[in-house]
Amino acid sequence: MSATEETKMEVVETQEFHEKLETSAVAGHGDEEVHVEPTEEDWATLPEVADHIPLSAFLVILIEFSERFTYYGLSGPFQNYIQQPLPDGHPAGNDPSFDGQPGALGRGQQTATALTTFFSFWCYITPIAGAVVADQFLGRYNTILTFSCIYITGLLILVCTATPAAIASNAAFGGLVTALVIIGIGTGGIKANVSTLVAEQYQSRKPYVRTKANGQRVIVTPQATYQQIFNMFYWGINAGSLSAIATTELEKNVGFYAAYLLPLCMFIPCMVVIVLGRKQYVSAPPRGSVVLEAAKVIFYSFKVGGFANTKPSVLAVSHPELAAKATWDDIFVDELKRGLSACAIFCWFPLYWLCYNQMTNNLTSMAATMQTGNVPNDILQNIDPLVLIIFIPIMDRLVYPFLRKHGLPMRPVFRITLGFLLAALAMAYTAGIQSKVYASPPYFDMPSEGDGPNEISAAYIIPSYVFIALSEIFASITGLEYAYKKAPQSMKSIVMSLFLFSSAVASILQFALVSVNYDPKLVWMYTGIAVAAFICAILIWFIHGSNDKTDVEQDAIGRDQEELVKYQHHQNTAEYEAEKGPI
């Protein structure tokens, strides 16, 4: 394809994007609604409320529900599949007997934890590549579609190598590793873009006063709206994650191949929604060398004395030779500065995800050393999404509106701090329960080497999952919201991927803990993680708490529709970049 044809395609994509922007605006606000900017008195006396959510946002949530159904459905049985040996007389790895333990590869807890940790790491580092592809080359929609095809390939490999014949021929372990790599690439490309795509369906950036049908005046704010969108989005994630209940039951009663086949079948509707909803989604077209553009601004900031001096309007006066090479506008500089400030907060999140990751590996292994009756040990992790499904609507529909009505909106940094404190509480409680397991007969502090569980009920673990779930409402959801709101318009997926990358760093930390990730050292590991998370919570508030005071002002930075058209076309013209030349 020639450069001229590519440019024509990009212009068409840009026109389609702006047509959808207009449609989204009408769907969100209605044709006749007049927006009046709130006064200082309005801010002091009127409650903040969320705007109407466009229908296209719910389609994106449905895509995420299907993808997360697949992801959690296949990852739920991983720990048992890798750790536990193949039960006698059950070539598919199932063991439906009372207190039966399903398994297949028999590689032990350390190998199982290492591989599940690698998978988590891989799934959260690949979003960076997916984000660059979306923001720079294909756009969000095309990237999601492309990586979905890769995802299905990995699922097929996993299902085929988990059959009894594959397990018997020793092909299961190699097939598992190959599938983990391919699925990780697929889910990474989707994950970086779908969380950005859902928020992109709502385009208003400025608060306004609305008079409701009952005469009550309220302030409609993007902050409350994005908070509601990401609450709904996260609710969809956790509704999908309940698939692990079905797959862990399938692993125990039918076999691992059946447990992995269900997620594969569920991913097909995901593909259908992606394809059929193409005309509905608002999705910004790629802008070309956006990473290079950001790198140039950062480079110039050192050269000319700060970000403010890298604005083209300033460079035109102070450094005309540099202004001639600038491919950005003044707003992009303000957006980039805001985005870098947000990324500074993300540096704390690896400690939070380290707390969260215990739920999917070590707590599953702990449950295997406790009495679970006829319930599979790895089904207990589904308490987390169940709590979220119940409490997210309560927070979104009751608690947050109540606080906003009384002039107490919970701004992002405060919510993140609260999430870290709850995560620290979860780990402190888990350390206490682990010590209780070690104090119980018959195997005491070496339960993993026994022939059965210690005499203690697995119900003691439930509060650990509850505390982690509550922490997600404040830390994880807010992190997604913060990454989208603070990112430059042309780098939404990239900044989102950097937030997700913090989970990959947590997986590296988990690898570092493998040496103490066995009995009888687990109590000290949980205690150390709890202390680290608590210290992080305090530091986040003292270092970043002041950001909440300028949250509304920072979110208002952006372009109106006319400015956006000029900005988008400015970069879509390939010849323009060539004319500017190198730095």
Side-chain angles (χ1 to χ4, degrees), residues 452-494:
N454 276 358
E455 295 175 4
I456 179 173
S457 172
Y460 281 107
I461 299 180
I462 293 176
S464 295
Y465 290 110
V466 173
F467 290 140
I468 282 290
L470 294 177
S471 78
E472 290 177 67
I473 294 175
F474 297 108
S476 183
I477 297 177
T478 307
L480 292 169
E481 172 194 336
Y482 207 68
Y484 179 82
K485 291 196 308 176
K486 306 305 182 186
Q489 189 159 19
S490 57
M491 298 180 67
K492 295 291 188 184
S493 291
I494 290 175

Side-chain angles (χ1 to χ4, degrees), residues 300 304 309-323 326 328:
Y300 282 3
V304 301
N309 293 329
T310 64
K311 295 181 178 180
S313 61
V314 177
L315 289 174
V317 177
S318 61
H319 297 80
E321 74 285 0
L322 297 181
W328 55 89

Side-chain angles (χ1 to χ4, degrees), residues 343-413:
C343 290
I345 296 181
F346 301 158
C347 293
W348 302 100
F349 267 84
L351 266 298
Y352 173 77
W353 294 121
L354 185 63
C355 297
Y356 174 86
N357 288 345
Q358 305 311 306
M359 178 182 69
T360 58
N361 44 51
N362 284 323
L363 282 179
T364 299
S365 297
M366 185 197 294
T369 67
M370 305 170 77
Q371 294 178 342
T372 62
N374 200 34
V375 177
N377 65 305
D378 48 5
I379 206 172
L380 291 176
Q381 61 188 290
N382 291 285
I383 294 169
D384 173 88
L386 284 171
V387 171
L388 286 164
I389 286 172
I390 294 170
F391 277 92
I392 286 176
I394 291 174
M395 296 299 297
D396 184 60
R397 301 296 179 177
L398 298 177
V399 178
Y400 289 145
F402 175 82
L403 292 174
R404 287 196 291 261
K405 184 177 181 180
H406 291 82
L408 297 170
M410 295 179 72
R411 297 299 181 198
V413 178

